[in-house]
Amino acid sequence: MARTKQLPQDISNTGYTANAGMQRIMNRDGSLNVQRKGLNWWQRNSIYHTMISLSPGRFMLVVFLFYTSTNLLFASIYTLLGIDKLQGIDPVSGFGEKFMQAFFFSSQTLTTVGYGHISPKGMAANIVASLESFIGIMAFAIVTGLFFARFARPRAFLRFSDNLIMSPFKESAAFMLRVISAKNISLTDVQAEVTTAFEVEVHGKKSTRYFQLPLQFSRINSLALSWTVVHIIDDKSPFYGLSLEEIKKSNLEVMINVRAFDEHYSNTVQQRISYKGDEILYGARFLPAFAPSEDGRSTILKVQKLNHHEKLEEAHVAAILEKIKLDQGKNEEVKN
């Protein structure tokens, strides 16, 4: 892999540095596969960003657990103070029934519903009920704000192909991926940046190097249909002069970042994805994902065909790369 050794690390500012390992840098969902050490939990985590980025199901689960645990806590306090401190409670003998009535009174107090059937009696019970009402007002204001922030947050709603594809392209070879906008939103001024990481051997030691890949088109005016992002393997590519086997053995990771302008929000949105070596198909090409409507008045984007591809001869790709390698050798001989 001599060609890669000769390339400078910083073809552009990738934001990554060479290291001895080859762990996955970015997860498939675009989140960074990085753990921070040396700080406690509160210092290394932002509660707001965590709550905003949680999936809808997990977010609802966290809210439900907070609501339930808060009511359990105050129901326990009311029970310890004495059930007789809750005026209007039904006369029951079992501890479980008493606790459940205290729990439901706590729920009414926390949400400020206040049906009026049960009320606190005595200074201690009223202080606890007042404190719980205050916590309920603050908590529900925060939860409401989080709901609005999650709902109103601009998102790209992009879908990427399940696989990165390497195929013949214009008498050369290229890496390709496909991206579409899955929602009925208008994305303009769409830009893509692709960074690759793979292992090279330098002075007998393996090291991970990072390169930003030049694209055939790094920017399009609008993402109305699908966009196939293409990196051509030419003399500007870090893969130039490498055989197919060398590329396969390089422990490759390709990271893609797509930014666009959302006309409805008048804001910039972005989305990322990463592909590892086992998620790359060699010797394949994408099939069209759109077609004209039956009446010929519009274009149908078939989202379900985002990943549709056909298999080619892998040997064809290998032969093209071998030709590129030979051409590179001839050019270097001429220069020398």
Side-chain angles (χ1 to χ4, degrees), residues 46 81 97 160 186 272:
S46 165
L81 288 176
E97 292 176 318
F160 296 90
S186 179
R272 300 177 296 190

Side-chain angles (χ1 to χ4, degrees), residues 199-267:
E199 288 181 345
V200 296
E201 191 171 310
V202 181
H203 305 302
K205 294 183 179 180
K206 287 187 176 181
S207 175
T208 303
R209 305 292 298 276
Y210 297 89
F211 305 93
Q212 188 157 340
L213 302 183
L215 302 177
Q216 181 194 25
F217 299 105
S218 61
R219 183 173 181 173
I220 59 175
N221 293 331
S222 175
L223 187 57
L225 299 173
S226 63
W227 181 23
T228 302
V229 181
V230 179
H231 165 67
I232 304 173
I233 300 178
D234 54 16
D235 57 357
K236 296 179 182 179
S237 170
F239 302 107
Y240 184 70
L242 300 184
S243 68
L244 185 58
E245 288 304 313
E246 287 175 321
I247 293 175
K248 286 183 176 182
K249 293 178 181 179
S250 63
N251 203 357
L252 187 65
E253 180 178 2
V254 180
M255 295 161 280
I256 296 92
N257 182 62
V258 177
R259 289 193 303 272
F261 183 78
D262 187 330
E263 293 183 347
H264 295 90
Y265 280 101
S266 292
N267 209 334

Side-chain angles (χ1 to χ4, degrees), residues 48-324:
Y48 175 77
H49 287 86
T50 300
M51 293 298 292
I52 288 294
S53 59
L54 283 176
S55 66
R58 290 185 177 182
F59 177 77
M60 292 301 299
L61 178 62
V62 170
V63 173
F64 175 77
L65 290 176
F66 170 79
Y67 174 79
T68 304
S69 59
T70 302
N71 284 315
L72 287 173
L73 172 64
F74 279 96
S76 300
I77 295 174
Y78 292 129
T79 304
L80 290 174
L81 288 176
I83 294 298
D84 60 311
K85 301 298 182 183
L86 299 180
Q87 188 172 277
I89 197 167
D90 294 334
V92 291
S93 57
F95 173 80
E97 292 176 318
K98 292 179 179 179
F99 184 83
M100 288 307 299
Q101 290 195 67
F103 177 87
F104 290 125
F105 169 72
S106 171
S107 175
Q108 296 166 24
T109 304
L110 186 68
T111 59
T112 67
V113 171
Y115 290 120
H117 174 60
I118 304 174
S119 60
K121 182 175 67 175
M123 181 62 71
N126 276 283
I127 289 175
V128 174
S130 298
L131 177 62
E132 184 176 11
S133 297
F134 175 76
I135 293 175
I137 293 172
M138 298 297 292
F140 279 95
I142 293 172
V143 171
T144 301
L146 288 172
F147 266 109
F148 178 79
R150 289 173 60 89
F151 182 78
R153 182 180 57 158
R155 290 181 56 191
F157 294 107
L158 299 178
R159 289 193 182 183
F160 296 90
S161 55
D162 291 340
N163 298 100
L164 187 70
I165 281 178
M166 185 179 186
S167 69
F169 185 83
K170 293 184 178 180
E171 299 183 355
S172 181
F175 282 104
M176 306 178 191
L177 69 111
R178 192 151 66 180
V179 57
I180 64 169
S181 176
K183 300 285 187 179
N184 58 336
I185 58 178
S186 179
L187 297 180
T188 60
D189 193 23
V190 187
Q191 304 174 55
E193 292 180 352
V194 181
T195 302
T196 185
F198 52 90
E199 288 181 345
V200 296
E201 191 171 310
V202 181
H203 305 302
K205 294 183 179 180
K206 287 187 176 181
S207 175
T208 303
R209 305 292 298 276
Y210 297 89
F211 305 93
Q212 188 157 340
L213 302 183
L215 302 177
Q216 181 194 25
F217 299 105
S218 61
R219 183 173 181 173
I220 59 175
N221 293 331
S222 175
L223 187 57
L225 299 173
S226 63
W227 181 23
T228 302
V229 181
V230 179
H231 165 67
I232 304 173
I233 300 178
D234 54 16
D235 57 357
K236 296 179 182 179
S237 170
F239 302 107
Y240 184 70
L242 300 184
S243 68
L244 185 58
E245 288 304 313
E246 287 175 321
I247 293 175
K248 286 183 176 182
K249 293 178 181 179
S250 63
N251 203 357
L252 187 65
E253 180 178 2
V254 180
M255 295 161 280
I256 296 92
N257 182 62
V258 177
R259 289 193 303 272
F261 183 78
D262 187 330
E263 293 183 347
H264 295 90
Y265 280 101
S266 292
N267 209 334
T268 300
V269 293
Q270 70 172 1
Q271 197 166 323
R272 300 177 296 190
I273 193 172
S274 168
Y275 298 93
K276 283 293 287 182
D278 58 352
E279 296 162 340
I280 300 174
L281 297 179
Y282 298 93
R285 66 181 177 189
F286 288 113
L287 296 174
F290 55 87
S293 61
E294 292 183 359
D295 59 9
R297 295 183 178 182
S298 61
T299 300
I300 305 298
L301 177 60
K302 302 176 181 179
V303 180
Q304 73 276 15
K305 291 190 175 182
L306 171 65
N307 299 299
H308 280 208
H309 61 272
E310 64 179 358
K311 200 70 176 166
L312 304 174
E313 290 294 333
E314 190 174 296
H316 190 187
V317 180
I320 290 174
L321 291 176
E322 189 62 30
K323 179 180 180 299
I324 293 174

